[in-house]
Amino acid sequence: MERQLFEAEHQEYRESVRRFVAKHVVPHRERWERQGAVDRDLFLAAGELGLLGVAAPEEYGGGGIEDFRYNAILAEELAAADVLTAGLGLSLQADIALPYLLHNCTPEQAKRWLPGVVTGETILALAMTEPGAGSDVAGIATTAIRTGDEYVITGSKTFITNGLNADLVVVAVKTDPAAGRRGISLLVVEADRPGFSRGAKLVKVGQHAADTAELFFDGVRVPAGNLLGAENRGFYVMMSHLVQERLAVTVQAAAQARRAYELTLAYATERRAFGQPVGSFQHNRFVLAEMKTETEIAQAYVDRMILAFVAGELTATEAAQGKWWTTELCQRIVDRGVQLHGGYGYMAEYPIARAWIDSRIQTIYAGTTEVMKDIIGRSLGL
Ligand SMILES: Cc1cc2nc3c(=O)[nH]c(=O)nc-3n(C[C@H](O)[C@H](O)[C@H](O)COP(=O)(O)OP(=O)(O)OC[C@H]3O[C@@H](n4cnc5c(N)ncnc54)[C@H](O)[C@@H]3O)c2cc1C
């Protein structure tokens, strides 16, 4: 079915994104995977083309257009080039962390931080998760105690995307440790502050280009002017931004699932066994029929989600529905794709094998499938 959500200006943008991916991403992916991080130049190139700050106001160098369809196009084009789930950190910057700044900065903070984020000179990270608290964000133990005009931060974070490259980290802290979720605030920490350090890059099973790392805060002093939003309202700010984060992962999962189907169809059409294409055995034809059907039906919901979000109407429950459904679907589709590739599906040089490893995390980060179902279940009054 023809998709209804894109206009002429989106198609133009898609063409330029496609060229960007071919030039600035695809040729470097393997090297980035070997070095365990992307080059900072990736962010500069993305910034130069305007990919990082579409939603940022023009006065800070952005495009001034809050339209998630542009974000979706970047994800879709990365998927089409088999680099979406490699762990580039662009989505974390543009889809996930930037909105925290856009919607919560004072004019003074916006002036300080946004221009660098938009050009890609400043790389962002968002640090909520701790060794002892992931799904249970309210259980974080990192504290920020106010002393005069400063906060003193003590604690650690783990699994932080862009952790090694980041220049600015939005950190969830307890400013009132006795008040549970009502005592959480967000502080922006510049990476050159004394007492801030990073652990070694975490060794993951996939997404090897992502510099996922631990971050340590040993009495890090930041001015009170680095508080993002109101003190002790950080939990609610995070919850409101999780809608966009989950939409971003939903869009990625749908795009990756579709790509896996396309790769598998192409392979199963070409590869022959017992004198015929492997896809033409009835069982495999049925598998491919299911893959096509499921990816297209998922896309219809995802496209509705995007339009609802653009209209300011996407609810937390709807975002949770899309997130768990599409990421679980992506697992199934990619796994069936590996199976239909036979032994080649297990070879790292094949995009389907890379997708299998790299996309596995999708049902876990940005809120696990179980947490998504919990959100949906509670909305039923249960
Ligand atoms: C590659 C990668 C990148 C990441 N990037 C970032 C980042 O940039 N910033 C950041 O802050 N975090 C990041 N994370 C962390 C990620 O968001 C967490 O791993 C995730 O939220 C799950 O938390 P956890 O690992 O502590 O698991 P836990 O919360 O310990 O969960 C363990 C299991 O228990 C289940 N569970 C937990 N609570 C419930 C419940 N109420 N009901 C039913 N089941 C439940 C979970 O679903 C899961 O299956 C990243 C993680 C990875 C692996």
Side-chain angles (χ1 to χ4, degrees), residues 126-129 134-135 159-161 204 361 364-366 368 370-371:
L126 180 63
M128 299 183 197
T129 306
S135 304
F159 303 151
I160 305 307
T161 303
K204 306 186 293 299
I361 185 59
I364 296 171
Y365 63 19
T368 65
E370 294 74 22
V371 169

Side-chain angles (χ1 to χ4, degrees), residues 174-368:
K174 284 258 170 87
T175 35
D176 184 351
R181 64 180 57 180
R182 292 191 186 80
I184 293 177
S185 302
L186 298 173
L187 284 171
V188 178
V189 179
E190 296 89 348
D192 56 2
R193 297 248 167 221
F196 173 77
S197 61
R198 316 169 201 249
K201 180 181 131 51
L202 295 168
V203 181
K204 306 186 293 299
V205 295
Q207 297 210 339
H208 296 302
D211 56 339
T212 317
E214 285 178 286
L215 305 179
F216 302 103
F217 303 84
D218 183 9
V220 179
R221 292 178 173 272
V222 295
N226 281 22
L227 180 70
L228 195 61
E231 194 176 66
N232 296 329
R233 298 293 302 164
F235 182 82
Y236 305 99
V237 172
M238 287 191 282
M239 290 306 114
S240 68
H241 285 286
L242 280 170
V243 171
Q244 178 158 346
E245 179 169 342
R246 288 171 185 156
L247 174 63
V249 177
T250 301
V251 166
Q252 290 165 18
Q256 182 59 72
R258 189 166 73 232
R259 178 64 180 160
Y261 156 68
E262 289 166 0
L263 287 168
T264 306
L265 176 62
Y267 185 84
T269 304
E270 196 187 297
R271 176 74 176 175
R272 299 177 73 84
F274 304 98
Q276 63 187 87
V278 294
S280 68
F281 295 108
Q282 190 187 46
H283 169 81
N284 298 343
R285 219 166 45 226
F286 279 17
V287 169
L288 284 158
E290 288 170 10
M291 290 166 84
K292 177 176 165 56
T293 306
E294 289 177 322
T295 50
E296 286 190 9
I297 288 176
Q299 192 67 61
Y301 185 81
V302 173
D303 287 354
R304 276 295 302 135
M305 284 176 75
I306 295 171
L307 289 176
F309 184 76
V310 170
E313 292 164 0
L314 187 70
T315 66
T317 305
E318 289 159 352
Q321 289 175 183
K323 203 272 174 182
W324 87 259
W325 174 259
T326 55
T327 55
E328 295 287 341
L329 174 71
C330 186
Q331 299 310 305
R332 290 202 303 277
I333 298 275
V334 171
D335 193 68
R336 286 185 222 156
V338 168
Q339 189 68 21
L340 273 180
H341 277 70
Y344 295 96
Y346 203 63
M347 296 298 117
E349 70 183 278
Y350 276 73
I352 194 72
R354 307 274 271 271
W356 186 60
I357 291 169
D358 291 337
S359 64
R360 179 61 187 86
I361 185 59
Q362 289 178 330
T363 61
I364 296 171
Y365 63 19
T368 65

Side-chain angles (χ1 to χ4, degrees), residues 364-381:
I364 296 171
Y365 63 19
T368 65
T369 292
E370 294 74 22
V371 169
M372 295 305 96
K373 290 180 181 173
D374 196 45
I375 292 169
I376 300 157
R378 282 180 206 215
S379 77
L380 304 176

Side-chain angles (χ1 to χ4, degrees), residues 145-167:
I145 304 303
R146 179 109 188 214
T147 52
D149 285 345
E150 292 180 323
Y151 288 97
V152 182
I153 310 173
T154 305
S156 67
K157 299 286 174 181
T158 194
F159 303 151
I160 305 307
T161 303
N162 292 348
L164 296 185
N165 273 337
D167 306 289

